[in-house]
Amino acid sequence: MKLATYRDGTADGCLHIVSRDLRRAVPASGIAASLIDALQRWDAVRPALAALYDRLNDGTEALAAAFDPARCAAPLPRSPQWLDGSAFLNHGDLMQKAFNQSPIPQFETVPVMYQGASDDFLGPHDDVPLPSEADGIDFEGEFGVVVGPVPMAATPEQAAAALRLVVQINDWSLRTLGAHEVRTGFGFLQAKPSTAFAPVAVTPDELGEAWRDHRVQMPLHIDWNGARFGEPHGGQMNFSFADLVAHGARTRRLSAGTIVGSGTVSNRERSAGSACIAERRVIEIIDQGAPTTGFMAFGDRVRMQAKFEDGRDGPFGVIDQRVVKAG
């Protein structure tokens, strides 16, 4: 299934089912008021949602209308919890080399993860208001999963069974603030403004062969101000989403609707480009001794779209956002 949330003036929006070709949509309010409602009652409502999806795809759903991504909030406009990992070790390795940092203990065997704000996610075409260009404005292309209930100390196998939906993410970062916050030892706060999501969340089966080993086996195409920035491949995750969810649940239960991110998609092949500015700058430091690429300015745009390996558009739709001055 493919699911989206239209804004309707409520905090959680109105759940819609979206056709496989992303051209048609129909409200699912008669089954579940919102996506969080559906996730909390997943086993009970999934058959009716699936039947509605089938009618939409075969053209027999009378209430179907054109799908309008401009009306979309994030699939989950707010979530019980947002946990973001760093599953692409190449990204961390580059940072360590560029800044001559000591290796993170157990970096290759224990996932790195932080807890971000989950009360105010951005939609796929929302402007991104931020206070200052001096904060080092950066995009971060990622994939993520939305889970059902996960017990404390779940195994990766139990975590895999709880995976409900797959999403595409732009995890905005403020790099100047992040550099300070990392040194405090308390983790990110001001450096992580609201995260943005592509309009459509999908059940893993919608990815077909592109969902393998609990990873999104697709390149994430990123353009900055209309110019190609990179298309790193999601399949190079060193930790799977099952691993990340199990790590997040090590000492706590995860409630239905918790989102777990992959961290910045990063590939060892330089030809793939990057999914964030910080990584490009790190490569410039390694190769040239200093960065030459600046961070984002107000008015800049970033576009992200996962695509299948044969070039077909992916199932999540497009993130296309502009950075603006807050206030």
Side-chain angles (χ1 to χ4, degrees):
M1 285 183 290
K2 297 184 177 180
L3 306 100
T5 294
Y6 277 15
R7 290 188 169 92
D8 65 354
T10 67
D12 295 309
C14 179
L15 176 63
H16 279 61
I17 301 296
V18 182
S19 63
R20 186 166 285 114
D21 62 8
L22 302 186
R23 294 183 178 180
R24 308 285 283 173
V26 60
S29 50
I31 303 169
S34 62
L35 183 52
I36 189 63
D37 176 36
L39 289 162
Q40 291 169 342
R41 300 186 294 120
W42 189 251
D43 290 341
V45 303
R46 177 166 181 161
L49 292 174
L52 181 58
Y53 185 57
D54 289 341
R55 294 197 301 274
L56 183 62
N57 285 316
D58 66 21
T60 61
E61 176 48 53
L63 298 179
F67 176 51
D68 185 2
R71 295 181 60 186
C72 287
L76 281 168
R78 57 179 181 170
S79 166
Q81 190 167 197
W82 158 231
L83 304 173
D84 198 19
S86 184
F88 294 86
L89 299 190
N90 180 63
H91 183 70
D93 290 342
L94 286 172
M95 297 295 181
Q96 290 173 17
K97 290 177 182 177
F99 299 107
N100 197 27
Q101 297 172 334
S102 299
I104 298 172
Q106 299 178 300
F107 185 60
E108 295 185 356
T109 57
V110 179
V112 175
M113 187 172 287
Y114 77 93
Q115 183 171 349
S118 61
D119 62 323
D120 187 28
F121 292 135
L122 296 173
H125 299 289
D126 290 346
D127 283 345
V128 183
L130 294 169
S132 174
E133 293 177 347
D135 290 337
I137 302 169
D138 198 358
F139 50 81
E140 287 194 63
E142 305 187 12
F143 295 108
V145 292
V146 184
V147 301
V150 181
M152 184 188 302
T155 64
E157 292 73 23
Q158 290 173 309
L163 302 182
R164 299 286 183 263
L165 301 169
V166 186
V167 292
Q168 179 189 308
I169 298 169
N170 183 4
D171 183 39
W172 288 95
S173 292
L174 301 175
R175 299 298 187 180
T176 303
L177 301 179
H180 166 73
E181 289 183 335
V182 167
R183 288 194 296 271
T184 69
F186 274 77
F188 298 125
L189 179 66
Q190 295 177 350
K192 286 295 184 179
S194 296
T195 300
F197 290 78
V200 181
V202 307
T203 50
D205 59 287
E206 290 291 334
L207 298 179
E209 290 300 313
W211 179 252
R212 191 169 63 255
D213 301 325
H214 303 120
R215 293 165 170 85
V216 179
Q217 307 283 344
M218 304 175 71
L220 181 56
H221 292 252
I222 299 171
D223 294 338
W224 179 13
N225 290 333
R228 179 257 186 190
F229 197 81
E231 55 282 327
H233 196 280
Q236 289 193 24
M237 284 175 70
N238 296 80
F239 300 102
S240 73
F241 279 113
D243 296 327
L244 293 180
V245 172
H247 178 77
R250 175 65 181 84
T251 60
R252 67 179 76 176
R253 295 176 295 172
L254 305 184
S255 57
T258 295
I259 305 170
V260 179
S262 67
T264 307
V265 181
S266 180
N267 293 173
R268 296 195 179 278
E269 300 84 7
R270 294 280 184 89
S271 60
S274 298
C276 70
I277 299 170
E279 184 171 293
R280 175 178 283 187
R281 285 168 58 89
V282 163
I283 292 171
E284 291 168 349
I285 291 170
I286 293 170
D287 290 352
Q288 306 166 22
T292 56
T293 301
F295 289 111
M296 299 184 80
F298 295 137
D300 281 6
R301 302 192 71 95
V302 62
R303 186 183 191 277
M304 299 182 179
Q305 183 180 26
K307 295 188 177 184
F308 291 102
E309 292 187 337
D310 61 6
R312 289 177 296 132
D313 289 345
F316 308 104
V318 175
I319 297 173
D320 189 352
Q321 295 185 284
R322 180 183 61 150
V323 177
V324 300
K325 172 72 173 176

